[in-house]
């Protein structure tokens, strides 16, 4: 295997990076391994828990970044769409966090780990300042987010005993005040923006203290308090999983949990010649309320790098990226798929462009298979330069997680951006990441070997015919990055973590000959059809969504029915061309309801099903085409863009019932 080249230099593949030996049996660990595998980067098979000796909590991690980059930029934002990025230095961030933390203590919040403080905000510099203020006094943050819904917010505020919540906007403060009777424990709201008169009046009437963040910082400056830093075993945050069904669960993550995950990721990047430095730049737009983004930003703060925040509007994200010029670009499949679709849409507009694009891709795919990743080839200059410029022109790694991404999209992105695209896998319960693909592995469709902070084993799932002796089974994770349990919920904790400390993920994996892990199924999202056959809907959805006509698919079935039906959403970018080809006109709603459109889509779905060897029971017998994309805003996707299956099922209950009713009528006639 040759080296991995880029315009920034040569990445030598070390012995750790051999493509056919990505993990090894964990047979020398003192713990119960039960056939588990560990990363080849684990020296003497020991799991890593701390990469930097002076970074054992998220507080000490930021202090490390402060020592490295005291007067260098730390957090950046755009005050107005027309103004350039404005930056706060590490020293300025530290001063504000020091003042805000002292202010919180002066307001009566105890500087102990049992104190939990809510934070209800979009990504912005004040979020990081508040976080560091919590850590400075051993407090534990509890993130809230817009799409939780009233019932879930009530549940979290009460379960976590949140007497104080920090909000970015007055509208969120109003939402809390309107619901005040549901959580009498709340007595303090702190706003990042100026407090509006109406909010001040409502808060006074409800007996809630409301202040602006700058007022609290002023109090802290006037009443300084020495820090009471957390210990590694202290809780860092209670991260509530958005969940696809039921109420959210409060995942208790300690500083040690998050530092172990961060350390594992940093070691992989370091060995892959992607070491983070003070010169790196991150674009912050994925929700900070979730562990994936929190871990990434903690990595950057710990090495003294800079973080620039998007304007808060996803529609302006590409403008922010072009100006910020990030070097690392974390993303999720849904956004990368949209980016890929936009690129192809532009390419397909011209025969010449399409011809050159295909030639360029074929050439660079050959390079990928040889272990060459670069952005300075002749094809980069002729064909891909504009696409690379759209991402700022400096991206040296893209990460993706939270859901599967297609092999086609993954390798096409590696070609056109000319940098490693690393796919990770994990859950909130293991601090976000447990596996990561390695630089130079051109094979797609898997999530790489375990991070060096955890080991992974596969447990038998007999009801689905998966057995560990065939290298297939439920993915189970063990290591210092695994959480201690769900807040005030020992029953659900016992369901998630067994007596030996293994986290049972509910995902089904397969060990590939290379030692990489492939996620092949989902244990929880299975159901029986009337015939008694088990069906895994997500497996079918991942196949059907490959249709060029579709943006989203939801597959439905239950034990009272003998077949599957589905809800499909047309790809808005592909719709005009398809409508023109069929000679159809009308709005998106009209086209979605057109029988000819449905006929074409159904045929493509059947072809895809057969091509991918789906059984007759796994093929959809009918679909309803919905004119609006599932989204976080309409409550059909979680903030990490997973389908909220229970909510989708309820939302489309009438359409699902109608499809089954028509089948019954057809059989009777």
């Amino acid at each position: 295997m040759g080296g991995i080249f880029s315009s920034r230099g040569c990445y030598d593949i070390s012995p750790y990076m051999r493509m056919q030996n990505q993990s090894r049996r964990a047979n020398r660990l003192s713990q119960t391994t039960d056939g588990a595998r560990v990363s080849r980067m684990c020296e003497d098979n020991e799991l890593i828990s701390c990469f930097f000796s002076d970074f054992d909590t998220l507080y000490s991690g930021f202090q490390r970044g402060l020592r490295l980059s005291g007067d260098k930029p730390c957090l950046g934002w755009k005050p107005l769409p027309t103004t350039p990025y404005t930056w706060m230095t590490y020293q300025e961030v530290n001063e504000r966090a020091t003042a805000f933390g002292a202010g919180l203590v002066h307001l009566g919040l105890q500087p102990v780990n049992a104190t939990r403080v809510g934070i209800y905000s979009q990504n912005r510099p004040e979020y990081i300042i508040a976080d560091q203020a919590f850590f400075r006094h051993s407090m534990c943050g509890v993130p809230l987010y817009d799409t939780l819904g009233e019932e879930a917010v009530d549940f979290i505020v009460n379960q976590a005993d949140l007497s104080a919540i920090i909000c970015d906007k007055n509208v969120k403060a109003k939402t809390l005040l309107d619901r005040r009777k549901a959580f009498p424990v709340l007595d303090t709201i702190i706003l990042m923006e100026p407090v509006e008169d109406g909010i001040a009046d409502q808060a006074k009437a409800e007996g809630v203290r409301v202040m602006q963040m700058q007022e609290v910082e002023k109090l802290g400056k006037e009443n300084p308090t020495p820090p009471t830093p957390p210990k590694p075993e202290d809780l860092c945050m209670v991260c509530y999983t958005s969940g696809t069904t039921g109420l959210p669960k409060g995942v208790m993550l300690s500083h040690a949990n998050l530092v172990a995950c961060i350390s594992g990721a940093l070691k992989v990047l370091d060995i892959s010649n992607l070491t983070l430095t003070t010169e790196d730049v991150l674009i912050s737009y994925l929700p900070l309320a979730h562990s994936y983004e929190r871990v990434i930003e903690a990595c950057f703060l710990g090495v003294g790098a800079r973080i620039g925040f998007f304007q808060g509007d996803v529609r302006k994200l590409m403008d922010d990226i072009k100006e910020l010029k990030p070097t690392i670009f974390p993303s999720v499949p849904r956004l990368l798929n949209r980016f890929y679709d936009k690129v192809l849409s532009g390419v397909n507009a011209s025969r010449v462009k399409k011809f050159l694009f295909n030639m360029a891709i074929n050439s660079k795919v050959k390079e990928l298979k040889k272990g060459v990743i670069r952005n300075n080839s002749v094809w980069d200059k002729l064909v891909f330069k504009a696409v690379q410029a759209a991402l700022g022109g400096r991206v040296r790694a893209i990460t993706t997680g939270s859901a599967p991404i297609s092999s086609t999209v993954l390798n096409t992105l590696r070609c056109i951006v000319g940098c490693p695209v690393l796919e990770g896998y994990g859950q909130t319960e293991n601090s976000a990441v447990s596996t990561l693909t390695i630089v130079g592995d051109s094979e797609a469709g898997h999530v790489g070997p375990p991070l060096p902070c955890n080991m992974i084993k596969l447990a038998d799932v007999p009801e689905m015919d998966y057995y560990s002796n065939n290298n297939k089974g439920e993915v189970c994770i063990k290591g210092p990055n695994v959480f201690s349990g769900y807040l005030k919920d020992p029953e659900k904790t016992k369901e998630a973590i067994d007596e030996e400390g293994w986290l049972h993920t509910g995902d089904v994996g397969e060990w590939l000959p290379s030692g990489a892990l492939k996620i092949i199924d989902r244990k929880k999202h299975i159901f029986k059809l009337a015939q008694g056959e088990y069906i895994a809907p997500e497996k079918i959805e991942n196949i059907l969504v490959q249709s060029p006509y579709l943006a989203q698919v939801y597959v439905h079935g239950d034990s009272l029915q003998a077949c599957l039906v589905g809800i499909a959403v047309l790809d808005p970018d592909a719709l005009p061309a398809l409508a023109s080809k069929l000679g159809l006109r009308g709005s998106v709603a009209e086209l979605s309801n057109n029988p000819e459109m449905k006929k074409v889509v159904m045929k493509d779905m059947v072809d895809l099903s057969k091509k991918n060897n789906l059984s007759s029971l796994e093929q959809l017998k009918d679909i309803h085409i919905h004119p609006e994309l599932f989204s976080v805003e309409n409550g059909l996707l979680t903030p990490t863009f997973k389908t909220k299956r229970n909510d989708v099922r309820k939302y489309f209950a009438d359409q699902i019932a109608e499809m089954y009713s028509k089948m019954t009528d057809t059989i009777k006639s």
Side-chain angles (χ1 to χ4, degrees):
M1 180 68 70
I4 304 172
F5 296 88
S6 80
S7 61
R8 292 158 294 274
C10 169
Y11 299 101
D12 292 323
I13 298 176
S14 74
Y16 296 111
M17 299 285 99
R18 292 185 186 123
M19 298 306 125
Q20 297 306 312
N21 294 283
Q22 296 183 24
S23 65
R24 60 158 70 102
R25 289 273 182 177
N27 53 9
R28 292 200 300 275
L29 285 170
S30 57
Q31 309 164 52
T32 303
T33 59
D34 214 7
R37 299 187 72 88
V38 295
S39 166
R40 286 184 58 84
M41 300 175 204
C42 291
E43 296 174 13
D44 298 323
N45 273 354
E46 291 297 327
L47 302 177
I48 185 174
S49 59
C50 201
F51 187 69
F52 297 118
S53 60
D54 54 352
F55 184 170
D56 61 353
T57 66
L58 266 63
Y59 171 75
S60 64
F62 176 76
Q63 294 302 310
R64 181 179 190 276
L66 174 64
R67 288 192 295 275
L68 291 171
S69 301
D71 58 353
K72 291 181 180 178
C74 178
L75 306 179
W77 73 101
K78 287 176 71 69
L80 295 168
T82 54
T83 58
Y85 268 87
T86 298
W87 292 89
M88 263 189 285
T89 66
Y90 270 82
Q91 188 60 50
E92 289 168 335
V93 172
N94 186 59
E95 287 170 3
R96 288 192 62 183
T98 299
F100 188 58
L104 292 176
V105 173
H106 186 72
L107 289 175
L109 276 72
Q110 293 299 306
V112 294
N113 198 228
T115 300
R116 291 187 285 269
V117 189
I119 183 161
Y120 194 3
S121 171
Q122 246 190 342
N123 297 20
R124 54 189 289 172
E126 290 86 353
Y127 202 123
I128 302 299
I129 291 167
D131 250 357
Q132 289 303 321
F134 302 159
F135 303 155
R136 188 174 179 83
H137 296 286
S138 296
M139 299 176 192
C140 173
V142 181
L144 300 166
Y145 41 95
D146 291 338
T147 55
L148 279 167
E150 289 182 354
E151 185 183 10
V153 169
D154 295 354
F155 174 77
I156 292 170
V157 174
N158 287 321
Q159 190 191 56
D161 298 313
L162 300 182
S163 63
I165 299 177
I166 299 159
C167 301
D168 57 349
K169 297 182 180 298
N170 278 270
V171 65
K172 288 177 185 168
K174 186 176 189 323
T175 299
L176 293 172
L177 290 169
D178 287 345
R179 305 282 302 158
R180 172 72 168 83
K181 288 180 175 58
F183 31 81
V185 66
L186 178 66
D187 62 24
T188 302
I189 293 176
I190 298 170
L191 272 162
M192 296 176 186
E193 66 180 14
V195 181
E196 294 175 353
D197 291 341
I199 296 298
D201 294 340
Q202 187 178 0
K204 186 176 180 180
E206 293 289 348
V208 174
R209 175 173 55 189
V210 63
M211 299 179 71
Q212 190 182 355
M213 192 167 179
Q214 288 181 347
E215 292 179 83
V216 180
E217 289 179 39
K218 185 172 181 292
L219 270 179
K221 286 179 182 177
E222 294 168 351
N223 300 275
T225 306
T228 49
K231 299 180 290 294
E233 62 270 22
D234 285 344
L235 278 188
C236 176
M237 63 187 289
V238 177
C239 190
Y240 278 83
T241 59
S242 48
T244 54
T245 59
L247 287 169
K249 293 174 289 188
V251 179
M252 296 188 292
L253 293 172
S254 69
H255 285 269
N257 291 150
L258 291 163
V259 168
C261 183
I262 290 163
S263 298
L266 287 173
K267 181 153 188 173
V268 172
L269 294 177
D270 190 55
I271 287 176
S272 304
N273 261 348
L274 287 171
T275 304
L276 295 181
T277 74
T278 57
E279 299 305 311
D280 275 301
V281 181
L282 177 75
I283 174 78
S284 173
Y285 69 100
L286 296 175
L288 265 168
H290 298 280
S291 54
Y292 177 33
E293 181 69 12
R294 191 65 68 94
V295 161
I296 293 167
E297 297 203 14
C299 284
F300 270 66
L301 293 172
V303 299
R306 64 180 73 179
I307 300 169
F309 294 86
F310 82 132
Q311 296 177 64
D313 186 345
V314 177
R315 291 170 297 182
K316 296 176 181 176
L317 178 60
M318 294 310 295
D319 294 334
D320 295 338
I321 290 169
K322 192 175 286 189
E323 181 180 348
L324 189 63
K325 296 180 171 53
T327 58
I328 305 294
F329 182 56
S331 193
V332 291
R334 184 166 176 262
L335 293 172
L336 293 178
N337 288 338
R338 301 297 293 169
F339 181 71
Y340 170 83
D341 289 342
K342 292 283 185 189
V343 171
L344 257 59
S345 178
V347 167
N348 291 331
S350 160
R351 287 186 179 180
V352 174
K353 282 184 179 179
K354 188 173 182 180
F355 176 74
L356 286 172
F357 183 83
N358 288 336
M359 281 188 69
I361 290 292
N362 290 335
S363 174
K364 293 200 76 177
V365 164
K366 290 176 183 176
E367 288 190 341
L368 281 181
K369 290 179 178 177
K370 293 176 182 176
V372 176
I373 303 173
R374 58 175 178 158
N375 63 10
N376 60 354
S377 71
V378 65
W379 295 115
D380 291 298
K381 295 170 185 174
L382 286 175
V383 180
F384 301 135
K385 188 176 180 180
V387 178
Q388 292 168 4
L391 291 176
R394 296 199 306 163
V395 175
R396 62 190 187 99
I398 294 173
T399 63
T400 179
S402 89
I405 186 169
S406 82
S407 303
T408 302
V409 172
L410 193 62
N411 274 338
T412 302
L413 285 172
R414 285 171 175 160
C415 291
I416 63 179
V417 183
C419 74
V421 182
L422 308 178
E423 184 173 8
Y425 162 77
Q427 299 181 326
T428 305
E429 288 84 347
N430 64 258
S431 308
V433 191
S434 61
T435 75
L436 191 65
T437 52
I438 61 176
V439 174
D441 189 347
S442 62
E443 294 299 315
H446 64 80
V447 293
L451 282 185
C453 60
N454 56 232
M455 52 184 171
I456 294 177
K457 74 170 183 177
L458 302 181
D460 293 345
V461 189
E463 68 272 23
M464 298 176 73
D465 203 27
Y466 292 123
Y467 295 95
S468 57
N469 59 8
N470 288 328
N471 284 323
K472 295 179 181 180
E474 182 183 9
V475 178
C476 299
I477 305 167
K478 191 174 186 180
N481 58 328
V482 172
F483 80 137
S484 59
Y486 297 112
L487 182 67
K488 299 180 183 177
D489 201 335
E491 192 174 316
K492 284 193 171 65
T493 298
K494 197 173 179 181
E495 289 174 12
I497 306 176
D498 67 24
E499 292 177 355
E500 294 178 347
W502 289 99
L503 167 64
H504 289 249
T505 66
D507 290 313
V508 177
E510 174 184 8
W511 289 119
L512 300 181
S514 64
L517 181 68
K518 181 178 183 178
I519 304 300
I520 58 174
D521 217 331
R522 178 71 181 159
K523 184 181 175 184
K524 291 181 181 177
H525 293 158
I526 63 171
F527 47 75
K528 278 185 180 179
L529 291 178
Q531 302 92 323
E533 294 291 332
Y534 283 100
I535 298 292
E538 289 179 325
K539 166 190 150 187
I540 302 168
E541 290 163 1
N542 288 335
I543 289 169
L544 297 182
V545 82
Q546 295 174 30
S547 168
Y549 309 140
L550 297 178
Q552 293 164 330
V553 183
Y554 164 78
V555 171
H556 178 86
D558 61 58
S559 59
L560 300 177
Q561 304 295 341
C563 63
L564 303 176
V565 296
I567 308 296
V569 182
L570 298 172
D571 187 326
D573 293 331
L575 187 55
L578 178 57
S580 176
K581 181 180 176 182
L582 297 174
L584 302 176
R585 292 183 178 179
S587 64
V588 174
E590 289 167 336
L591 290 171
S592 297
N593 201 37
N594 189 289
E596 284 300 310
M597 183 69 70
K598 179 176 175 178
K599 186 177 176 181
V600 170
V601 171
M602 276 297 292
K603 182 181 183 305
D604 195 57
M605 292 171 82
V606 169
D607 291 344
L608 274 170
S609 299
K610 291 178 178 176
K611 182 181 175 183
N612 287 274
N613 300 314
L614 293 182
S615 69
S616 59
L617 289 174
E618 292 176 306
Q619 295 179 29
L620 272 60
K621 296 299 183 280
D622 197 5
I623 59 169
H624 167 75
I625 299 181
H626 184 60
E628 182 186 356
L629 286 165
F630 302 169
S631 68
V632 175
E633 289 72 27
N634 61 29
L636 301 181
L637 293 182
T638 72
T640 50
F641 307 115
K642 295 184 180 76
T643 303
K644 297 177 80 171
R645 307 195 70 83
N646 203 34
D647 290 344
V648 173
R649 176 178 58 79
K650 290 177 182 176
Y651 189 89
F652 293 103
D654 292 344
Q655 291 85 348
I656 289 168
E658 185 180 352
M659 284 187 278
Y660 281 128
S661 177
K662 283 180 182 176
M663 290 180 206
T664 305
D665 292 343
T666 301
I667 292 169
K668 287 179 180 178
S669 61

